[in-house]
Amino acid sequence: MLSVLLSRAREYEAERLSNVSPSLLPRFHVTGGVGWLNDPNGFSLYKGEYHLFFQYYPYDTHWNDMHWGHVKSRDFIRWERLPCAMAPDMDYDCKGCFSGSAIELPDGRHLLMYTGVGKTDEGGEIQTQCLAFGDGTDYEKYEGNPVIGADMLPEGGSPVHFRDPKIWRSDGCYYAVAGNLHSDGNGAVLMFKSGDALKWQFLGEIASSGNRFGRMWECPDLFRLDGKDVLIVSPQEVKGDDMNFLYGNTTLCLIGNLRDDSSLDREYEQTIDYGLDFYAPQTVVTADGRRVMIAWMQYWNSVEVRPAEELPFFGQMTLPRELRVQNGRLIQTPVRELEAYRGERIGFAGVKIGEKTSFPGINGRCLDFTVKVRPAGEEFSRFTVNVAEGSGFVTAVSFDSKENTVIVDRSKSGFPEDIMNRKAFPVRGCGGEITLRIILDRYSMEIFVNGGEQAASFVLFAPEEAGDISFEAQGIAEADIESYRLEI
Ligand code: FRU
């Protein structure tokens, strides 16, 4: 039986979506289609298809009572929209069905694990971890909810900031990690275990911000990859101390080894994405064993920075990325499935670039192109790619070969009131050489540096007519350029 709130959401979105022209939406990046979207939730392989849920408010393009929206795909590129999966219709989640995850159960059901935000008798809020079971379209909330409550928190753990469970199954048992705020102001990741996914026990606090990486830690995910344990989290209120860590909400990857399922011995710490729009990533394992990550391509601190003309939706996901760990670093590359959508290849090898120049056929806003740059003479100090250019708009991606930084300037990218419009980040020094792969999809740009050593995501709202691409250098650079229009 659908609740009144869920039926209302489903009817509303079906009606509104039938009036939204696809020309207003990104071509292959997930949005709610209408309304508001934030974190990816329940990214899972279920009966051979990738399901993705998301934090969703269908009625308005601003955050409000959280529902779960739902899409699915066979290849991470073409997504089919499914009806809203959950609405905040129970006492224990009446203030929102917050973020969570999903797995396929051995008996064929799809299990969602999420945070219910409820009200206390005193009028405050409380967060507990809840379950819903379904068939890939319709979900029933478990009658025994919540399954993890405040009674399982370690001493000092806040029941008001206890959320975003990520569940997985290993050796016949279920595990989950969730974010928590400790009374000493530190964010922490707590780990739980269960034999049946219904009754849970607390295992330990596996990592904490240690007064260094912000306060509350949101949306954890923990997995083993290339011989290491990798914990990803989204900390709030970070005081970024250098170009590596952003101020405010950011994302962090901790790489090391998990000891006794209860503590992570950290060896490396890294920002996951260096752009201005990336938060709350979550991963899934593909049928062929790849670990793939998707994130909300947005940043909480700039959700009010919007295009001049309101679109029917607000909030996009990143392109899913394949992950690897190499030499202690997380390497990210766009899912290989994207390559099936490449049109004709346009390539230029060994071209000399100084003054601003463009190349026939390399333009548009739905493109996958790679430029390999090297110095051609001692004067070379900077190389710039301008995208989404025209009618007074331009987004500039520059490589400063003396400072070994990439600088992105989106002050002319279609945000009338964007005050946080420039981002610089360090890259590995390679004697003035760099490879930039840039993926454009109407309202976004994702940059992958040196084969995925670094990624940087940006939302752009320049109108689609701003489709020129040009290249320029201070001094002379030599470049190999390879470009494909994406036919999606
Ligand atoms: C992260 C987050 C989560 C929470 C959700 C609410 O972006 O704040 O911690 O579950 O968004 O929409």
Side-chain angles (χ1 to χ4, degrees):
M1 256 284 282
L2 296 187
S3 68
V4 173
L5 277 184
L6 187 57
S7 308
R8 181 174 158 235
R10 286 184 170 193
E11 279 161 29
Y12 179 86
E13 63 180 6
E15 201 215 307
R16 282 285 324 270
L17 281 167
S18 61
N19 293 317
V20 172
S21 156
S23 66
L24 291 174
L25 304 175
R27 287 189 179 82
F28 56 100
H29 285 75
V30 172
T31 69
V34 294
W36 162 279
L37 163 153
N38 60 288
D39 314 354
N41 295 158
F43 195 24
S44 52
L45 180 58
Y46 179 65
K47 296 199 192 295
E49 294 179 302
Y50 299 104
H51 283 253
L52 177 69
F53 301 80
F54 48 88
Q55 291 287 281
Y56 178 46
Y57 185 67
Y59 307 108
D60 187 6
T61 56
H62 291 83
W63 189 89
N64 208 312
D65 294 339
M66 280 294 108
H67 295 55
W68 274 35
H70 191 187
V71 291
K72 69 175 181 181
S73 174
R74 288 194 177 274
D75 67 1
F76 301 114
I77 307 297
R78 279 181 199 264
W79 295 91
E80 179 188 336
R81 213 169 277 292
L82 292 167
C84 181
M86 288 200 286
D89 47 17
M90 303 301 280
D91 280 350
Y92 54 78
D93 64 17
C94 60
K95 303 291 282 179
C97 299
F98 273 20
S99 285
S101 50
I103 50 167
E104 176 166 352
L105 292 172
D107 66 9
R109 287 177 302 164
H110 201 193
L111 172 64
L112 313 183
M113 187 175 201
Y114 71 101
T115 298
V117 185
K119 275 198 271 197
T120 62
D121 295 341
E122 296 74 43
E125 286 188 3
I126 179 156
Q127 301 187 339
T128 55
Q129 316 320 318
C130 303
L131 304 176
F133 295 88
D135 61 1
T137 308
D138 295 313
Y139 295 84
E140 278 291 328
K141 290 177 185 166
Y142 174 51
E143 73 265 6
N145 278 343
V147 293
I148 303 182
D151 54 327
M152 261 183 248
L153 284 170
E155 212 186 316
S158 162
V160 183
H161 294 284
F162 177 29
R163 56 182 176 266
D164 311 334
K166 173 77 198 286
I167 186 173
W168 71 96
R169 194 162 176 268
S170 167
D171 297 332
C173 286
Y174 297 88
Y175 294 85
V177 282
N180 190 222
L181 181 64
H182 196 271
S183 54
D184 63 10
N186 276 304
V189 174
L190 309 181
M191 187 150 159
F192 300 86
K193 184 176 182 181
S194 169
D196 57 5
L198 305 175
K199 280 182 236 63
W200 291 84
Q201 86 190 74
F202 174 61
L203 287 182
E205 175 186 294
I206 58 165
S208 122
S209 60
N211 277 320
R212 174 147 182 248
F213 292 113
R215 288 168 58 82
M216 174 63 188
W217 274 9
E218 301 187 310
C219 302
D221 193 349
L222 177 69
F223 47 89
R224 187 121 187 117
L225 188 61
D226 299 325
K228 291 281 166 205
D229 291 305
V230 179
L231 175 65
I232 59 180
V233 284
S234 297
Q236 291 181 321
E237 298 174 68
V238 173
K239 296 197 171 37
D241 49 7
D242 58 32
M243 280 209 298
N244 273 301
F245 295 100
L246 202 64
Y247 264 85
N249 290 51
T250 186
T251 53
L252 181 67
C253 167
L254 304 172
I255 301 178
N257 292 299
L258 199 60
R259 204 179 341 119
D260 308 328
D261 281 347
S262 61
S263 152
L264 181 76
D265 294 332
R266 307 182 194 184
E267 292 169 359
Y268 308 96
E269 297 161 340
Q270 178 190 341
T271 283
I272 301 177
D273 186 286
Y274 291 81
L276 288 174
D277 297 295
F278 186 92
Y279 199 65
Q282 186 172 96
T283 68
V284 68
V285 180
T286 60
D288 59 0
R290 289 169 289 153
R291 177 66 64 170
V292 167
M293 177 177 75
I294 194 167
W296 184 34
M297 191 158 43
Q298 184 62 48
Y299 182 56
W300 274 113
N301 306 58
S302 56
V303 292
E304 290 314 323
V305 176
R306 287 170 180 244
E309 306 261 328
E310 181 91 345
L311 290 159
F313 71 90
F314 186 83
Q316 304 174 60
M317 294 297 171
T318 62
L319 175 64
R321 302 169 181 182
E322 294 180 17
L323 302 182
R324 274 179 297 131
V325 173
Q326 222 177 316
N327 304 327
R329 281 193 72 84
L330 189 71
I331 309 290
Q332 305 167 55
T333 45
V335 279
R336 62 193 66 169
E337 283 84 348
L338 184 67
E339 289 159 30
Y341 294 91
R342 285 172 163 181
E344 186 199 352
R345 173 183 186 277
I346 299 182
F348 298 91
V351 288
K352 296 275 189 303
I353 293 177
E355 284 188 7
K356 190 165 165 165
T357 177
S358 53
F359 295 91
I362 301 189
N363 54 31
R365 290 281 286 277
C366 193
L367 212 66
D368 175 359
F369 74 98
T370 300
V371 46
K372 271 190 193 169
V373 180
R374 50 196 171 268
E378 277 171 20
E379 306 290 279
F380 173 67
S381 61
R382 193 180 176 99
F383 179 84
T384 299
V385 187
N386 300 300
V387 305
E389 192 175 15
S391 315
F393 296 97
V394 62
T395 301
V397 181
S398 300
F399 165 54
D400 182 324
S401 67
K402 302 286 179 235
E403 301 286 331
N404 283 313
T405 50
V406 167
I407 306 118
V408 176
D409 181 343
R410 67 158 189 198
S411 55
K412 298 194 188 89
S413 305
F415 299 90
E417 292 172 57
D418 191 4
I419 46 164
M420 215 173 54
N421 53 28
R422 197 170 170 281
K423 182 75 189 12
F425 57 91
V427 293
R428 188 166 52 90
C430 298
E433 298 191 10
I434 194 166
T435 303
L436 301 171
R437 179 169 173 195
I438 298 185
I439 296 186
L440 298 172
D441 179 14
R442 216 169 242 154
Y443 303 127
S444 65
M445 168 178 77
E446 287 164 276
I447 308 172
F448 297 86
V449 181
N450 293 335
E453 282 178 358
Q454 277 151 318
S457 308
F458 298 85
V459 167
L460 316 175
F461 281 113
E464 212 178 352
E465 309 83 81
D468 294 342
I469 294 180
S470 63
F471 303 84
E472 58 192 304
Q474 279 167 23
I476 305 290
E478 191 176 90
D480 302 330
I481 305 170
E482 184 178 22
S483 171
Y484 301 88
R485 218 174 278 283
L486 293 170
E487 294 170 356
I488 298 163

